Amino acid sequence: MSDASSKRWDLPNAPTAHTLPRDVPTAVAKVLVNRGVDTAEKLRLLLDPPQQLPYNPQRMAGMDRAVGRLHQALNQGEKVGIFGDFDVDGVTGTAILGEGLGELGISVLPYLPHRVEEGHGLSGAAIQYLVGQGVSLIITVDTGVTAVTEVAEARRLGADVIITDHHVPQPELPDAVATIDPNLPGCSYPFAGLCGAGLAFKLMQGMYQFLGQPWNPALLELAALGTIADLVPLVDENRFLVQQGLIELSQTQRPGLLALFQRSRVDPKHLDTETISFQVSPRLNSAGRMGHAEDSYRLLTTRSTSEGDMLADSLDQLNRTRREASDKALDIAFGQIEQKYSAGPLPPILFVGDPGIVPGVAGLVAGRLAETYRRPAVAMSMSMEDGKVVASGRSIPQFDIEEAFGSAQHLLVKYGGHSQAAGFTVTREQLPQVISVLSEVAERELADCDLRPALKIDAEVNLEEFSQDALHWLSQLEPFGQANPRPLFLSRGLEVLESRTMGSTSQHVKLLVSQEGKVMTALAFNQAQGWPQGASHLDLAYTINADWWHGVKSDNLKVVDVRPANG
């Protein structure tokens, strides 16, 4: 089996001439030029885009019909059902619509499906429940663009449907009053990268604009949470939503979020995308993974401090349960990979399955495998009592896993997702054939790809280049995320002044390193095993991260990979 820890370092091209402003520090200029920002004008467009954001929602296909139908519901006192997905994107989008419509006086009924009992997507049972509760208009969030049968059922029962979804539509569209999806053929909206929460925000922006009323800036808190969690590109309008949303989150008045920040040991004044991704989103997601997503919805929307505290405690406990289940499932998954492929090379797509991989953590397992082995991976929960297997897949940029699942759709009960994250349900009897089909697709499409894990270095620098001015300039490139990752630096020959392990199982390494008189702290999380012990000098690939402790900021190296110097 190939060594998953042996990463290829893809070094940047040799520095080229640029016309960036002279006050841009050298380390920052290297990053910008490597990312194609090599003139003063390109830098200005990055930091201060000329277009007015957020964009006019009326530029979105279907927005006029959706707003018109909502206005009818407002005038006629109709009850509106909101059907959202159970992940953070779906929950925050549902909350955006619930709050936005509720503040207009529209009666709303949110519905979030149970991950295990109902699964992804709009269902006939959910429609029947909503209609039975007096709902005459259903709005979907982060789902629905392929729900032809379900929307037809809603229409048969007398309910209209507005679809908001960012997934790629099929040739046949549901018979909805309006479908708001920037991926629709012919849609001329200037940015197609919005997530479900982003589209829910656009619908509320459109409704309030139609009524001539200002929308509540607190909706941006929810839009930012969903956008960060869904790993959509943090460029263009998404960059605006996250930048402004982080400002709103820093002064949020939501009791549930304040309680969750406290449990997460997060200072809202110093929130960034990584804090949301690693501290807040997992807790919000834990309800949908290990319990019911309704708890996350209630935490986001409650106005009660006591209820917020109770729900934050519940999500914190669910997150601990999720971590325990994840650790168990990861041990199983890596054990299966080691057992299957110890004698030979890894295949282009990995499959693991076990009753110990519960549906709520299967996606996390697949993601870790794809990240570790740099190839698509599918993790399957084999514990279903009805004879069905629920699978989650995660991929790499060179392989569209949702499209691959589509090649086996004739064998599947259902499937769906994105190019990099998708899932399917299949009967046990059909599973071997599905694995065969997907393996053939991966063999064909990845035949010429170098699947060794790789790190794309943005700039090779000396530590002395990180002046306070340079660190300030780097912060101007935030928010970091998909399509705008935190810059990855390489420094060679760093002298190790101090080194020790830390963590409950000594799984982390903390270092004090020096280069030409500049001393900095380096933190290597979950890298103690395999660390080059005893090396006096190291080559480090790392990002620069700000840590806050009792209101004091320190900038540290977050180690991504390490090699002995000259090794």
Side-chain angles (χ1 to χ4, degrees), residues 138-212:
I138 299 171
I139 309 175
T140 71
V141 178
D142 195 29
T143 188
V145 77
T146 61
V148 174
T149 301
E150 291 78 11
V151 171
E153 173 67 5
R155 298 298 295 269
R156 186 186 70 80
L157 294 174
D160 288 334
V161 179
I162 295 172
I163 293 170
T164 70
D165 197 354
H166 66 123
H167 296 89
V168 176
Q170 300 295 322
E172 182 183 4
L173 291 174
D175 183 22
V177 170
T179 298
I180 297 175
D181 186 335
N183 293 298
L184 286 177
C187 181
S188 59
Y189 193 73
F191 181 60
L194 293 166
C195 66
L199 289 172
F201 171 77
K202 299 307 296 185
L203 180 56
M204 288 301 89
Q205 184 193 359
M207 182 65 175
Y208 277 75
Q209 181 174 299
F210 176 81
L211 295 173

Side-chain angles (χ1 to χ4, degrees), residues 542-555:
Y542 58 89
T543 60
I544 296 286
N545 290 63
D547 287 328
W548 293 86
W549 181 252
H550 295 304
V552 178
K553 179 187 177 186
S554 61
D555 293 289

Side-chain angles (χ1 to χ4, degrees), residues 43-51:
L43 179 60
R44 186 185 68 80
L45 293 176
L46 172 67
L47 300 179
D48 185 22
Q51 61 267 38

Side-chain angles (χ1 to χ4, degrees), residues 35 191 193 227-236 238-239 242 273-274 277 395-397 419-420 477 479-486:
R35 296 185 177 188
F191 181 60
T227 300
I228 294 169
D230 214 47
L231 301 178
V232 288
L234 290 193
V235 296
D236 206 289
N238 282 340
R239 181 178 173 87
V242 171
T273 54
E274 291 186 3
S277 296
S395 195
I396 57 176
S419 65
Q420 300 298 286
L477 304 182
F480 296 125
Q482 295 294 311
N484 184 40
R486 187 177 290 275

Side-chain angles (χ1 to χ4, degrees), residues 21-49:
R22 296 178 64 180
D23 62 335
V24 177
T26 303
V28 180
K30 291 177 182 178
V31 172
L32 292 171
V33 171
N34 189 50
R35 296 185 177 188
V37 182
D38 55 2
T39 68
E41 178 64 11
K42 290 180 181 178
L43 179 60
R44 186 185 68 80
L45 293 176
L46 172 67
L47 300 179
D48 185 22

